[in-house]
Amino acid sequence: MTTMVRETTTTPAPRAAHPAPAARAGTPARTPADAPAPAPAGRARPPAAAPRPGPDAPAADRPSATAAPRGSEIRRHELAGFLRSRRERIPPEQVGLPRGRRRRTPGLRREEVAQLSAVGVTWYTWLEQARDIQVSEQVLDALARTLLLDASERAHLFQLAGAVDPSPAAQCPTITPALRHMLTQLEPVPACIQNSRYDILAYNRTYARLLMSDLDAVPPEDRNCMILVYTNAEWRRSIVQLDDAMRMMAAKLRGSMAGHLGEPAWKMLVKRLTTESAEFREHWERYEVVGGARSRTKQFLNPYVGLVTVDHTDLWLAPDLGARMVTYVPTDEESRERLERLHALASADGNPERDARSAGRPVRVTPGPRDVGPV
């Protein structure tokens, strides 16, 4: 938009009868009283209405010089208000804390949020006061889990903080429609796509019901085989020879982590597992390393169809051993029939437990010994 500047016309002063005396050296010549004062050297006379500064204007004259700090300040206040609102809606009993008699704060106290998130009380207080402080992805992830944020609230938290969510909750560009179609076509063979960090990026319906009643019910940020095998009771009950499986997975994770030591998502995963699982701490401190892909036989005790024996195969989707398609092909006829039945239950309406009841089949099976077969 161009700003019109109105020009003013000054009546020229009458010429003096005699020329003005020459100015002495170093002294500027006098200007007639009715003539406009000259502008200082190197600076133009300011117009009546100043035009909008152009892109080449000095930083101090450009509106964006103050717009960016102002925008950051607004985001900090929005973040502070959002954290307070989420904190105040959680009763202490929901996170295993006693209410006490003198609690006047609705929901959780600031120090309780800080304690549950493993951050300093002063630091978290500054965050709710909209102080200008840096927030790491690890801290944001801890706050999101402490405040029980859903997927939309978690995305909002990271957006307000100006950070990128490193968890698999966000859509992965590796998962193309063709790969999703392939997962569907593999039914009733359970199959999923994982990365080297064990994030479950996509899966078919049979896989969703193989190790637990419904993987869809697990929050996206928790759909990680390491987190599930070390912290999820239902997932752990389904794995035959659980101890060997956990030790092998920890060793493979350490081997893969050598190329990702500085990445926040990897550090977040290890920190969370170390905090939440004593078994993981024990396995991690052994510094065992396993690399490469291995096809091996596994057995799962499914809650709906019983014991299934499968061959685990990794199909790598990239040359750098990043994302891979994991398939579980049945090794015998009985396992094949049980996987077909599980797929039928999962395909009916997404509620295999109700379908099992309606068909008169047992809903749960009693877990057998962990030493049924190799992993």
Side-chain angles (χ1 to χ4, degrees), residues 22-30:
R24 289 182 297 176
T27 304
R30 296 184 180 275

Side-chain angles (χ1 to χ4, degrees), residues 120-366:
V121 177
T122 301
W123 186 92
Y124 180 76
T125 301
W126 286 351
L127 195 59
E128 281 203 6
Q129 291 175 347
R131 299 281 190 95
D132 189 6
I133 58 177
Q134 297 295 324
V135 189
S136 67
E137 291 88 351
Q138 294 94 323
V139 169
L140 291 172
D141 174 73
L143 290 175
R145 289 187 283 111
T146 297
L147 298 175
L148 307 177
L149 303 185
D150 59 25
S152 298
E153 293 169 334
R154 180 186 176 95
H156 185 64
L157 172 68
F158 276 82
Q159 186 176 15
L160 289 177
V164 178
D165 188 354
S167 78
Q171 184 71 21
C172 179
T174 304
I175 311 303
T176 64
L179 287 176
R180 293 186 182 277
H181 181 69
M182 188 180 301
L183 289 174
T184 303
Q185 294 300 309
L186 285 172
E187 301 272 20
V189 172
C192 70
I193 296 177
Q194 300 177 15
N195 57 20
S196 54
R197 201 172 56 241
Y198 284 102
D199 293 324
I200 303 174
L201 307 176
Y203 50 89
N204 58 21
R205 287 173 291 188
T206 312
Y207 183 86
R209 306 316 196 272
L210 180 62
L211 283 89
M212 60 193 320
S213 58
D214 189 2
L215 183 58
D216 295 340
V218 176
E221 60 270 18
D222 292 341
R223 292 176 195 163
N224 176 284
C225 291
M226 293 294 299
I227 293 175
L228 293 170
V229 78
Y230 278 101
T231 66
N232 187 285
E234 186 178 11
W235 190 277
R236 290 163 60 90
R237 284 194 300 266
S238 299
I239 299 178
V240 178
Q241 291 191 346
L242 175 64
D243 293 337
D244 291 344
M246 290 191 299
R247 183 173 175 179
M248 174 68 69
M249 292 173 66
K252 291 185 66 176
L253 180 69
R254 183 174 285 281
S256 300
M257 191 171 182
H260 306 274
L261 294 176
E263 298 182 17
W266 288 76
K267 294 189 292 184
M268 285 167 50
L269 175 61
V270 173
K271 182 177 180 180
R272 178 177 178 183
L273 289 167
T274 303
T275 303
E276 298 182 6
S277 172
E279 292 172 305
F280 176 80
R281 290 195 300 272
E282 178 186 351
H283 294 156
W284 193 249
E285 291 171 359
R286 292 178 179 178
Y287 278 85
E288 295 177 338
V289 176
V290 174
R294 297 182 180 181
S295 296
R296 55 197 179 277
T297 301
K298 289 187 174 183
Q299 288 187 312
F300 301 113
L301 196 60
N302 183 264
Y304 303 113
V305 299
L307 183 68
V308 294
T309 306
V310 295
D311 283 332
H312 174 152
T313 303
D314 289 328
L315 305 174
W316 298 95
L317 305 178
D320 58 353
L321 300 183
R324 66 187 184 276
M325 182 175 292
V326 180
T327 61
Y328 294 120
V329 179
T331 60
D332 53 66
E333 185 64 21
E334 184 177 22
S335 295
R336 184 189 65 79
E337 292 177 353
R338 290 180 176 180
L339 287 179
E340 288 179 351
R341 192 183 345 150
L342 181 62
H343 173 244
L345 293 174
S347 301
D349 64 351
N351 191 335
E353 183 169 334
R354 191 187 70 184
D355 292 337
R357 288 197 181 98
S358 63
R361 293 186 292 271
V363 176
R364 299 279 180 181
V365 296
T366 302

